[in-house]
Amino acid sequence: MGFTTHTNKNGVRAGAAIVASAVAVAATAWAVATLVEPGGAGAASRQNVSQPNGTDNSGHGRAGGPGQQPQGIPEGIGHASESGGNAVNITIDDGPDPRWTPEVLAVLREHDAKATFCMVGPRAKAHPDLVKKVVAAGHRLCDHTMDHDTAMDKKPVDYQERQILDAKKLIEEAAGNGAKVEYYRAPGGAFTPDSRRIAAANGMRPLGWNVDTKDFEKPGTAAIVDAVKREMGNGPTVLFHDGGGNRAQTVEALDQVLAWLREQGRPTGFPVRTAPDTP
């Protein structure tokens, strides 16, 4: 199964109100390299900037404005931490990967840190042992669609629905024991009002990011760490990757970032699910 790696992925912070409030989202993109190295020539680019009270780049669609689902999951894209304060949300995209996911898990365990793993459906099906290890370690699951299509926001609603719900099914089947997927992250930030509605109606909070490490570009461990320190003022949700290529730099950088966060007195936590996002 091929999916793409990214070229540009800025964080999203959208304000989500309990009753029909507007959401700030603009979609970002990743460069495409099918399960290999990033940086293909046909890379798409999409802005996905955190702007409370804004609108996403696809308009309101047939879903209308964002709101809150009956089960308490808002359609607005979440960034804030459930723990509040200075807690940081570590998020890991594009896996699971048999080479790198175990190393990421080991680093998280060493630092007693928690993370949210945004998984591609067929990869979860191919590596159910890794999905189970993620859950057993106390981390959370996030739906990252079936095919990592960064142009999903240009596709019909029924296509978006299949991409989201088929992946959710595969991830939960791989996890077993009743484990649930609690978040949905659009590939490359290609959210739409419809995809957010579909996710929320099925118990998944749309999940953005504030800090883009650009680790998929393999800029060097120091550059990845510097990006986190430089962008942490944008908000608490940090984007790393365990899939899509060689992630040796990511593993080393994650180790250093977690050590730095501890020095700063900043614990790790999980993104909000039922609460409105904060600007």
Side-chain angles (χ1 to χ4, degrees):
M1 191 285 303
F3 67 92
T4 63
T5 321
H6 337 307
T7 48
N8 184 18
K9 203 175 189 189
N10 294 324
V12 193
R13 183 196 309 253
I18 296 296
V19 181
S21 63
V23 168
V25 184
T28 290
W30 301 345
V32 180
T34 306
L35 271 182
V36 289
E37 299 301 317
S45 176
R46 185 184 295 109
Q47 283 247 314
N48 200 2
V49 181
S50 169
Q51 293 181 349
N53 302 318
T55 56
D56 65 31
N57 70 340
S58 56
H60 285 301
R62 73 181 191 191
Q68 181 169 332
Q69 297 301 312
Q71 64 268 56
I73 305 296
E75 295 175 13
I77 298 175
H79 307 80
S81 177
E82 282 184 345
S83 301
N86 61 353
V88 174
N89 306 320
I90 302 296
T91 64
I92 313 291
D93 281 21
D94 295 358
D97 182 275
R99 175 69 178 87
W100 301 109
T101 303
E103 294 201 27
V104 168
L105 286 170
V107 170
L108 292 168
R109 182 170 59 251
E110 179 182 349
H111 291 275
D112 193 24
K114 297 304 178 187
T116 300
F117 284 77
C118 299
M119 298 184 175
V120 177
R123 293 191 62 79
K125 180 179 180 179
H127 305 288
D129 55 322
L130 295 178
V131 183
K132 289 178 173 65
K133 287 179 180 179
V134 166
V135 174
H139 308 297
R140 290 187 183 177
L141 300 173
C142 172
D143 180 336
H144 208 32
T145 73
M146 290 293 290
D147 297 313
H148 200 282
D149 181 358
T150 59
M152 261 184 65
D153 55 339
K154 305 297 191 293
K155 303 292 177 63
V157 175
D158 60 348
Y159 172 87
Q160 297 177 48
E161 185 170 47
R162 290 195 306 273
Q163 284 286 314
I164 295 167
L165 299 186
D166 289 356
K168 179 179 187 287
K169 181 175 185 291
L170 291 184
I171 296 166
E172 290 181 346
E173 286 177 349
N177 295 321
K180 297 298 182 183
V181 174
E182 299 186 68
Y183 305 93
Y184 163 66
R185 175 174 277 165
F191 287 102
T192 68
D194 285 307
S195 69
R196 292 186 283 105
R197 172 184 55 78
I198 292 163
N202 287 275
M204 298 178 289
R205 179 67 180 266
L207 176 60
W209 63 91
N210 305 109
V211 179
D212 184 1
T213 66
K214 292 185 170 59
D215 58 338
F216 53 87
E217 295 178 353
K218 297 194 287 295
T221 298
I224 297 170
V225 174
D226 288 346
V228 175
K229 294 179 179 180
R230 183 176 63 251
E231 296 183 21
M232 188 57 71
N234 295 342
T237 300
V238 185
L239 173 63
F240 291 98
H241 298 81
D242 62 345
N246 187 315
R247 297 292 169 240
Q249 293 178 9
T250 297
V251 171
E252 180 59 31
L254 179 61
D255 181 51
Q256 294 183 28
V257 165
L258 291 173
W260 175 73
L261 289 174
R262 179 175 294 177
E263 292 171 0
Q264 301 296 308
R266 303 195 66 169
T268 57
F270 297 111
V272 290
R273 291 192 67 246
T274 59
D277 201 38
T278 53

